[in-house]
Each structure stands twice: as structure tokens, then as C-alpha cells.
Amino acid sequence: MSYRKWFEEHAARHAAIVSTLSHLDDAELIEYFDYENMRRMHPEFCPLYKEGTKCHDMEKLNCYMCACPYFRFDDAGAEEGDMRRFSSCSIEAKDARTFRHENSLHNDCSHCLLPHRSGFVAKHFSRSFREMMEGCDNSRSVL
């Protein structure tokens, strides 16, 4: 699955849930996306919910963003030596790593907890996933 395809599918799932919660204020909406609540109320939102596992090892994980506004992707990739880079961290976070697979380089966010902290979500909050993540898609290709 391409990054853009995941991005579009996730944006649609996020919008569907948020549209049913218009009665909640912003803080309540952020809290609603707590991992335990989402796992119980929307098990289809994340494939990890069915396994009972979290994407990051943290006690209070918030699933509102799921992705990070600092993540950048380009499904066509960009040359980097003899490799192609498909994703990166725009702020070069200290916990960001690079995952190498064959001739591909991808950003590994698994050690960065920023987008799963409620305070970070509140700082970058929008009821629209696409709006929060507007800088992420640097692809030149189409779906």
C-alpha cells in the first residue's frame, strides 16, 4: 500500500468518527481518542486494536493523530545515493530512525511519541485529519 493510499483511507476513517462526535468540545474529542476507548468503541480504526497492542510503548496513548504532522512522504521517492528515500521527518526528531529495505529508505517513527501525547494533539488540533497533516504528502505521483 502506498503512503498516499494509507493517508487517504485513514483520513476517511478519522472523518467518519469525528462526524459522529460533533457534540464534544475539542478537549473531549481528543480524550475520546484515548487508546483504550478507541479500541473498545472503534476496533476497525486501527489493525493493532484487534491484537490488543499499541504502536508505541506508552501508558497513555492518544490515537487522534495516528500520524505526525512532521512526517513527509513521497510515493515516487527521491534519490539518495544508490537508494530511494520515500519518507522522512521534517524536524529530524532525535528519536527518528531510518528503516532500510532493499534499495528503499523510510522514516521509522516507532521511537518518537510526540503525536500520541494529548498536549501535542491539542497544539496541532483540527477536526480535519487532512488539515492537521497538510504538509505530509510530497508525492508527485497519483493514486
Side-chain angles (χ1 to χ4, degrees):
M1 175 183 296
S2 71
Y3 283 114
R4 183 181 286 171
K5 184 168 174 44
W6 178 90
F7 183 89
E8 294 300 329
E9 289 177 3
H10 183 76
R13 285 191 305 273
H14 188 273
I17 293 170
V18 170
S19 72
T20 68
L21 301 170
S22 60
H23 61 285
L24 299 179
D25 67 26
D26 294 350
E28 291 169 328
L29 183 58
I30 292 168
E31 183 60 31
Y32 184 90
F33 274 77
D34 175 75
Y35 170 83
E36 296 300 334
N37 187 58
M38 288 295 290
R39 184 172 172 231
R40 185 177 63 256
M41 301 297 290
H42 303 278
E44 73 291 346
F45 185 69
C46 174
L48 296 177
Y49 293 168
K50 292 178 182 121
E51 300 171 14
T53 60
K54 295 179 178 180
C55 55
H56 298 277
D57 185 20
M58 57 191 294
E59 188 173 330
K60 185 93 171 122
L61 185 131
N62 187 283
C63 301
Y64 189 79
M65 284 187 156
C66 183
C68 179
Y70 301 134
F71 186 78
R72 300 292 181 263
F73 67 86
D74 179 348
D75 284 334
E79 285 187 34
E80 192 170 302
D82 61 345
M83 308 284 279
R84 287 195 81 71
R85 178 167 292 281
F86 292 91
S87 59
S88 62
C89 176
S90 69
I91 63 167
E92 298 180 10
K94 66 180 175 71
D95 293 322
R97 308 280 191 276
T98 296
F99 170 71
R100 299 170 194 270
H101 177 71
E102 297 175 356
N103 294 349
S104 302
L105 299 171
H106 298 271
N107 194 55
D108 172 4
C109 307
S110 62
H111 298 282
C112 185
L113 308 177
L114 280 177
H116 295 295
R117 297 183 191 276
S118 296
F120 184 86
V121 174
K123 180 179 175 185
H124 298 276
F125 184 80
S126 170
R127 288 182 179 251
S128 166
F129 178 81
R130 284 184 178 89
E131 187 175 299
M132 287 186 301
M133 305 298 162
E134 67 184 340
C136 294
D137 186 354
N138 293 318
S139 295
R140 296 176 297 277
S141 60
V142 295
L143 282 174

